[in-house]
Amino acid sequence: MKFGIVVFPGSNCDRDVAYVTRDILKQPTRMVWHEDTDLTDLDVVVVPGGFSYGDYLRCGAIARFSPVMQQVVDRAQQGKFVLGICNGFQILTEAGLLPGALVRNRDLHFICDRVELKVERTDLPWTQAYSEGEVINIPIAHGEGRFYADKQTLAEIEANNQVLFRYVGDNPNGSANNIAGICNRQGNVLGMMPHPERASDPILGGTDGLKLFQGLLERVAAIA
């Protein structure tokens, strides 16, 4: 199983993800420069957190036009796995791979904290290593992490069971329906504001995020 981690000018969590996939999970991992246009060797594409292009204009709005993104869209449409974390989630919504948008936090402040999330479903590779309804603890760090969708889109997201993670208790950024992470209808594209890669090594205080990568690994290995 080979991971590819997209690197935009301004990405700052790319190496954190690589540490998990390459050093903890021992899987082949390739750093993918944003101008790369060949992703055919990859099983999973990760669009990491950071500040792509400095987040000038609007988070993810410029990155969406990078040459690599058309290939990311093509891979997603082929059913390959695509994960967007934080800024990556913002980019996936800008690219149209996921519905809705991420806007300024409710209190207009950048938040860096740990939050509790409820796992809403466990029948997808991303969450199959968790228990249904399990509450996990994952770090967040964002200024524009409030999930927004119009009423009809939000209803469709809920009706199609596209919510994989919700904030429990305090909703840190004011996200609609406490949404912290959603997938596309097919379930192969996941976007989430919390950082599972920052909760994958005991030295960081918890490993609740590692299960996300382990579940995915098990599913891809089973398919192979």
Side-chain angles (χ1 to χ4, degrees):
M1 178 175 178
K2 188 171 184 179
F3 286 87
I5 303 169
V6 179
V7 182
F8 298 98
S11 295
N12 68 2
C13 301
D14 45 345
R15 287 169 178 76
D16 297 343
V17 180
Y19 172 70
V20 175
T21 60
R22 182 188 58 216
D23 299 327
I24 295 180
L25 296 176
K26 309 298 182 187
Q27 298 301 306
T29 298
R30 179 163 74 89
M31 308 307 286
V32 180
W33 185 234
H34 70 116
E35 295 178 328
D36 195 336
T37 56
D38 184 0
L39 306 184
T40 55
D41 60 320
L42 305 176
D43 299 299
V44 181
V45 178
V46 181
V47 186
F51 302 90
S52 57
Y53 298 93
D55 277 349
Y56 298 118
L57 182 62
R58 185 177 66 242
C59 295
I62 301 176
R64 175 256 181 275
F65 292 101
S66 279
V68 73
M69 283 309 299
Q70 184 55 57
Q71 304 307 312
V72 173
V73 171
D74 290 347
R75 298 298 282 172
Q77 292 174 343
Q78 292 165 10
K80 298 296 182 181
F81 294 105
V82 176
L83 169 63
I85 302 170
C86 198
N87 190 226
F89 186 10
Q90 296 161 340
I91 294 169
L92 295 186
T93 60
E94 292 286 343
L97 284 174
L98 291 171
L102 284 308
V103 299
R104 293 288 300 275
N105 295 342
R106 175 189 52 211
D107 297 329
L108 306 182
H109 297 302
F110 187 92
I111 303 171
C112 183
D113 204 348
R114 299 186 72 92
V115 297
E116 290 191 333
L117 308 175
K118 181 183 177 185
V119 181
E120 290 291 325
R121 55 184 288 197
T122 58
D123 60 334
L124 293 175
W126 310 105
T127 52
Q128 67 173 3
Y130 296 103
S131 303
E132 189 167 349
E134 182 176 350
V135 175
I136 60 177
N137 193 287
I138 305 283
I140 58 171
H142 56 246
E144 298 185 23
R146 178 162 61 98
F147 183 78
Y148 170 81
D150 61 57
K151 197 171 182 179
Q152 180 179 345
T153 301
L154 199 56
E156 291 174 355
I157 289 171
E158 295 288 356
N160 294 320
N161 293 318
Q162 290 175 247
V163 181
L164 269 60
F165 300 104
R166 289 186 209 271
Y167 299 109
V168 174
D170 180 42
N171 182 340
N173 50 34
S175 285
N177 291 9
N178 297 328
I179 289 173
I182 59 170
C183 64
N184 62 348
R185 290 195 182 191
Q186 295 75 22
N188 62 305
V189 179
L190 166 64
M192 59 191 298
M193 288 311 298
H195 286 263
E197 79 279 14
R198 296 183 184 176
S200 294
D201 188 324
I203 199 170
L204 297 176
T207 58
D208 284 350
L210 186 60
K211 287 184 179 180
L212 185 147
F213 297 100
Q214 290 173 327
L216 185 63
L217 186 59
E218 290 173 8
R219 177 62 66 90
V220 173
I223 294 173

